[in-house]
Amino acid sequence: MKFTAAAALLVAPLAVLASAVPKVERKITYDGYKAYRIATHNNAKSVTDKLAPLAVVPFNQNTRDHVDVVIPPSEIAAFEALGFEAEVLHEDLGADIREEANSFAPYQEISAQAIPSDTWFDAYHAYADHITFFNDLQAAFPTYSEILNIGASVQGRQLFGIHIWGSGGKGSKPAIYFHGTVHAREWISSKVVEYLAYNFLTQYNDTAVKAIRDNYDIYILPFVNPDGFVYTQTSNRLWRKNRQTRSSSSCVGTDINRNWPYKWELSGGASTDPCDETYKGLAAGDTPENRALVSFTQSLSASKGIKLYIDWHSYGQYILIPYGYDCSKRATNHAKQLSLAQSTASKIAQSYGTKFTYGPSCSTLYATTGDSVDYMQDVAKAEYSWTIELRPTGSGGGGFVLPASQIRPSGVEQWEGIKYLLASV
Ligand SMILES: [Zn+2]
């Protein structure tokens, strides 16, 4: 999509301000901005060509049938004059972001070795509180878990996580391996993997959960892009990439999920423009976050192997199996992956009727190169390698800013799906 000019408008003033006055960043409020889903009828180019003169903000990548965009107040009249077939995702994005911020709850301090309260899943939280939550959760189960620190981000934050095991002992079984929040604005992904970690640890007395824990080592990294996530909380709720600067551009950030060293060199599934939302970097694996993730992944692959990898994203409600880089290529165990994606989607729907679309990543959604799922499948040799795009679908309202009331149901339906999946692989 040719949203580069608009993205530069959004990003450039921040970058200038940040370099001129360190530590002072203007927060973008998005007050009065409207988000729309535009029907493309398989002609996304005609839509994006018409949008080109407007200062639109890309809200999600175009899929086969729609483009989602955010329109600043000054452009709404011009946008509506274009006469698109469009539905409103956010009537006032700024108001919805404020409501989300107002729903933040402080972390409830607990006594030593107590289990954190599960009210954690009724609100969003500051980044520092997420670290405390994981440390406290792990401390309550010291015999069966440990905190991981696999490397540092551009700005020096640890890529932390939790490793959970069962009766076989630490590191004795194939890996179940989850990444969250590679795209900074996809807040629900960290909450859902936290919900899964919480349940894996607290429900070991459940027969089905015990079987999973005794058969696998579980590795969960909730924030593989911590700098970007912090930036969404301090400066720009819609930030996606990491916070890496490049001497060649005033634009900030590389998409860590287009930076994996596999099929990175192909064109069509990422951007070579540093101002773009899907900027792939100057070379494969040239983000510190990706280097840390590759190194950790290789260690899992070389030890007991990776049974299942899931990269947790939002939004759209999809279960995506390989591949991203080629719409006709299929994994050698494609039929099994597709059938499991279908039955997992059915299981997820049993909780609240939430419908997840499933299929190969490229042909179901769009082409991606240098992405984690293709790397995990072909290089790290994961048996199953998936992306799950969480709530909402977009149709019916909402996007990255998902009301806090949907955190718990998102966790519940995915927990049911994961328990089913891990009993079935
Ligand atoms: Zn994403």
Side-chain angles (χ1 to χ4, degrees):
M1 286 173 79
K2 298 291 179 210
F3 285 129
T4 304
L9 277 178
L10 180 71
V11 171
L14 273 177
V16 169
L17 190 66
S19 61
V21 189
K23 294 177 184 167
V24 177
E25 286 175 332
R26 189 185 64 182
K27 185 159 187 166
I28 301 172
T29 66
Y30 293 104
D31 283 343
Y33 284 58
K34 283 178 96 157
Y36 294 90
R37 168 159 293 182
I38 307 165
T40 58
H41 300 293
N42 287 318
N43 194 352
K45 188 173 182 312
S46 97
V47 171
T48 51
D49 284 352
K50 283 183 196 160
L51 288 171
L54 303 183
V56 303
V57 181
F59 199 44
N60 211 354
Q61 293 187 70
N62 54 317
T63 66
R64 285 177 192 278
D65 62 0
H66 61 260
V67 174
D68 295 350
V69 290
V70 174
I71 309 291
S74 60
E75 301 277 20
I76 289 173
F79 173 79
E80 290 187 339
L82 291 171
F84 287 123
E85 180 187 331
E87 64 176 310
V88 175
L89 301 180
H90 288 283
E91 193 63 48
D92 180 344
L93 180 60
D96 290 343
I97 290 172
R98 273 200 308 281
E99 191 174 321
E100 180 186 64
N102 289 337
S103 76
F104 267 48
Y107 181 68
Q108 296 175 9
E109 297 292 332
I110 55 171
S111 54
Q113 299 216 322
I115 299 168
S117 163
D118 88 335
T119 56
W120 176 257
F121 301 105
D122 296 323
Y124 291 105
H125 297 85
Y127 179 68
D129 285 347
H130 285 276
I131 297 173
T132 309
F133 169 82
F134 267 99
N135 286 334
D136 285 356
L137 182 61
Q138 189 279 327
F141 300 94
T143 315
Y144 289 107
S145 66
E146 70 179 12
I147 292 292
L148 302 165
N149 282 303
I150 68 149
S153 67
V154 172
Q155 296 175 338
R157 291 185 178 87
Q158 274 296 320
L159 272 57
F160 72 91
I162 193 162
H163 174 192
I164 301 165
W165 57 86
S167 61
K170 175 184 163 185
S172 63
K173 304 290 182 183
I176 304 301
Y177 184 25
F178 297 160
H179 288 180
T181 333
V182 65
H183 294 142
R185 60 196 180 184
E186 300 167 7
W187 287 11
I188 187 62
S189 69
S190 59
K191 278 295 183 179
V192 164
V193 297
E194 283 167 349
Y195 190 85
L196 302 179
Y198 189 90
N199 282 285
F200 278 130
L201 278 168
T202 58
Q203 295 191 27
Y204 192 50
N205 54 359
D206 176 281
T207 311
V209 177
K210 184 173 190 311
I212 293 167
R213 287 258 308 266
D214 292 351
N215 285 331
Y216 300 108
D217 278 67
I218 301 162
Y219 303 84
I220 297 178
L221 303 174
F223 295 96
V224 303
N225 177 14
D227 301 346
F229 181 75
V230 168
Y231 194 72
T232 64
Q233 296 201 324
T234 59
S235 303
N236 181 352
R237 179 65 183 83
L238 295 187
W239 190 257
R240 167 184 167 100
K241 300 182 283 184
N242 77 355
R243 293 295 300 163
Q244 191 164 358
T245 56
R246 307 266 182 182
S247 57
S248 51
S249 173
S250 62
C251 287
V252 176
T254 300
D255 186 341
I256 301 166
N257 200 36
R258 299 293 185 279
N259 192 238
W260 286 81
Y262 183 62
K263 305 294 181 186
W264 177 91
E265 66 286 354
L266 300 181
S267 59
S271 176
T272 53
D273 179 347
C275 301
D276 199 278
E277 294 282 16
T278 59
Y279 178 52
K280 65 200 261 184
L282 290 170
D286 72 350
T287 56
E289 294 87 354
N290 184 262
R291 280 195 294 274
L293 292 168
V294 164
S295 168
F296 182 69
T297 299
Q298 285 175 344
S299 72
L300 294 184
S301 184
S303 118
K304 303 294 174 188
I306 300 168
K307 183 74 175 182
L308 167 72
Y309 168 77
I310 298 179
D311 202 2
W312 295 88
H313 291 248
S314 74
Y315 59 95
Q317 295 173 200
Y318 292 96
I319 299 174
L320 301 171
I321 66 174
Y323 288 91
Y325 77 91
D326 185 326
C327 288
S328 54
K329 181 109 166 48
R330 298 290 181 257
T332 51
N333 63 347
H334 171 74
K336 184 80 194 289
Q337 296 215 47
L338 189 67
S339 137
L340 281 169
Q342 177 188 30
S343 50
T344 301
S346 300
K347 190 69 193 178
I348 290 169
Q350 283 177 17
S351 294
Y352 308 99
T354 314
K355 186 176 176 294
F356 277 70
T357 304
Y358 59 89
S361 182
C362 180
S363 55
T364 304
L365 202 52
Y366 39 67
T368 54
T369 51
D371 61 84
S372 67
V373 160
D374 292 353
Y375 180 93
M376 295 294 170
Q377 184 74 47
D378 282 2
V379 183
K381 305 293 181 193
E383 191 170 335
Y384 303 97
S385 182
W386 293 8
T387 295
I388 294 187
E389 299 272 359
L390 295 163
R391 293 185 183 198
T393 57
S395 62
F400 300 110
V401 182
L402 186 71
S405 60
Q406 292 199 41
I407 296 170
R408 187 181 291 272
S410 294
V412 167
E413 66 196 8
Q414 294 305 323
W415 174 239
E416 294 304 319
I418 285 298
K419 277 193 295 181
Y420 163 81
L421 178 61
L422 291 179
S424 310
V425 290

